[in-house]
Amino acid sequence: MVLEELTRLTGVSGAEGPVRDYIMEKARPLCDQMWVDRMGNLLCRVEGRDPQAGLALVLAHMDEVGLMVQGINDDGLISYQCVGGIDPRVLVSKRVRVGEKGIPGVIGAKAIHLQSREERQKPLTHKELYVDIGCKDKESAQKLVNPGDIMGFEPGWTAYGQGFVMSKALDDRVGCYNMLRLMEERYPVSVVYAFTVQEEVGLRGAQVVAQQFSPRCALVLEGTTANDLGCVPAHQQVCRAGAGVAISFMDRTSIAHPALARALRRTAQRCAIPWQFKTFVSGGNDAGQVQNAKGAVAVCPLSVPCRYIHSPSSACNLADVEAQYDLAHRFLLDGAPFEEEG
């Protein structure tokens, strides 16, 4: 499965090359133009059937959260910096691959039976964690890794339960996967598919992409937080895994274009595509850069709910992945109509 293959690739922000190379191989026979800009974004253009229908922009980011080697201690253990937002509570004992050679390592901390009572009563911080690559001292570790090397989580894909999968990097390989599927169709509108870089560290790739085009509308295919487990009030669940594609009306970086969002909801209802609101204003995505570009662009995110996001074992329901594709596909197939809704 292409989605599984995408999640197994390491593409931490700033080092998306393996993901980009894979997508280029899959996309080359599907598009009319393909190029990589100086930022590292991969752009694929598919001309539309109707020359008068205009241009739509569809984005998904290739990068994932991870770690970077900050220094090597005298005992051979590695100190790190986070690349993107990662909760330190999900890291202890997790496996990583370091650098281009994929040196295996494990994230460690002081053994719990050596911790004081006070230490056991509070979460560990990133400064209290380290990466162990099995070297006895600094000199031997320096032969394998260097400061600045990227560390990605160990790949792993498991199907479980009723339609769920768990893996690293579902945010946002789900969007990349669905963009490849969309490229198999030639729509009335021309479409530029932008596989962006460095979303997790400030939407940097999308900022560059947004300056290159003047689309009539843009869709951002994302993975977003699902907080639907435990004793969480409904209004704080953000969205629910298995309940359909999440249509966002607002987050911390953008407000969805009202007419575009309404048109997407109506398309979902007409085509019986499961959908839900993203009901909590938090986070951000590439829409935040696209919306403000070239005199403003009508944009709306379509997200797959992901549990345990930004962790080595995020989880989503494949039915929601399908719903994201179905909604984007039907909307583009209709010619991306929304202006009459203004």
Side-chain angles (χ1 to χ4, degrees):
M1 183 182 183
V2 171
L3 178 56
E4 179 180 353
E5 293 173 358
L6 281 167
T7 64
R8 290 189 179 278
L9 300 170
T10 298
V12 176
S13 303
E16 298 90 350
V19 182
R20 182 172 52 245
D21 291 345
Y22 177 92
I23 293 173
M24 289 178 69
E25 181 180 351
K26 294 290 185 182
R28 187 169 283 110
L30 303 175
C31 61
D32 299 303
Q33 291 178 270
M34 175 189 292
W35 68 101
V36 178
D37 65 22
R38 288 186 179 179
M39 192 72 184
N41 301 300
L42 171 62
L43 299 124
C44 304
R45 183 176 180 119
V46 179
E47 298 296 340
R49 300 195 308 267
D50 181 359
Q52 307 301 316
L55 175 71
L57 180 62
V58 185
L59 305 94
H61 66 89
M62 296 183 287
D63 59 312
E64 63 190 278
V65 299
L67 309 174
M68 180 181 286
V69 176
Q70 177 173 292
I72 303 172
N73 302 329
D74 290 340
D75 55 8
L77 299 175
I78 296 172
S79 61
Y80 67 85
Q81 284 289 332
C82 287
V83 182
I86 306 176
D87 186 340
R89 293 174 295 183
V90 308
L91 291 183
V92 178
S93 77
K94 301 305 188 296
R95 299 178 182 180
V96 295
R97 293 282 178 171
V98 187
E100 293 183 359
K101 295 182 180 179
I103 303 299
V106 61
I107 301 172
K110 182 194 290 187
I112 192 167
H113 61 277
L114 298 180
Q115 294 176 18
S116 67
R117 177 176 296 180
E118 291 74 19
E119 288 174 323
R120 290 195 298 268
Q121 290 176 343
K122 63 180 182 180
L124 293 167
T125 67
H126 288 295
K127 290 183 178 180
E128 296 171 289
L129 303 179
Y130 53 80
V131 177
D132 176 2
I133 60 170
C135 290
K136 63 181 181 180
D137 54 33
K138 183 174 184 177
E139 183 179 1
S140 56
Q142 286 176 325
K143 295 177 181 178
L144 298 176
V145 302
N146 295 290
D149 282 352
I150 287 293
M151 294 186 277
F153 296 128
E154 179 77 18
W157 170 281
T158 303
Y160 73 108
Q162 297 177 314
F164 279 87
V165 295
M166 68 176 79
S167 172
K168 74 173 185 67
L170 289 172
D171 171 27
D172 182 32
R173 304 294 158 73
V174 291
C176 294
Y177 166 62
N178 276 335
M179 289 215 307
L180 284 170
R181 298 173 71 194
L182 291 170
M183 290 174 65
E184 296 175 356
E185 180 77 35
R186 195 170 291 272
Y187 297 104
V189 293
S190 296
V191 185
V192 169
Y193 298 94
F195 299 87
T196 62
V197 298
Q198 298 190 39
E199 191 268 358
E200 298 291 4
V201 291
L203 320 181
R204 297 171 185 173
Q207 183 178 15
V208 175
V209 168
Q211 302 304 320
Q212 300 180 50
F213 306 99
S214 297
R216 61 189 304 268
C217 67
L219 303 178
V220 176
L221 307 188
E222 256 287 11
T224 196
T225 303
N227 191 33
D228 58 339
L229 299 176
C231 300
V232 180
H235 69 282
Q236 293 182 341
Q237 292 184 1
V238 186
C239 51
R240 294 177 293 116
V245 58
I247 301 177
S248 176
F249 53 83
M250 180 179 176
D251 57 40
R252 291 180 179 173
T253 64
S254 68
I255 298 175
H257 188 279
L260 178 57
R262 285 198 299 270
L264 286 161
R265 296 197 298 269
R266 194 166 62 222
T267 298
Q269 292 164 350
R270 174 172 56 85
C271 299
I273 299 168
W275 72 279
Q276 59 187 306
F277 282 117
K278 180 181 175 181
T279 59
F280 197 73
V281 178
S282 63
N285 54 62
D286 282 343
Q289 289 293 345
V290 175
Q291 185 175 57
N292 297 327
K294 291 289 189 78
V297 175
V299 63
C300 185
L302 303 177
S303 300
V304 172
C306 293
R307 296 172 178 167
Y308 329 119
I309 203 166
H310 287 196
S311 82
S313 299
S314 55
C316 75
N317 194 294
L318 291 176
D320 297 333
V321 179
E322 195 67 22
Q324 183 190 62
Y325 165 78
D326 286 342
L327 182 50
H329 170 68
R330 291 301 313 184
F331 185 70
L332 293 172
L333 199 61
D334 292 340
F338 75 95
E339 292 167 329
E340 67 271 16
E341 300 295 310

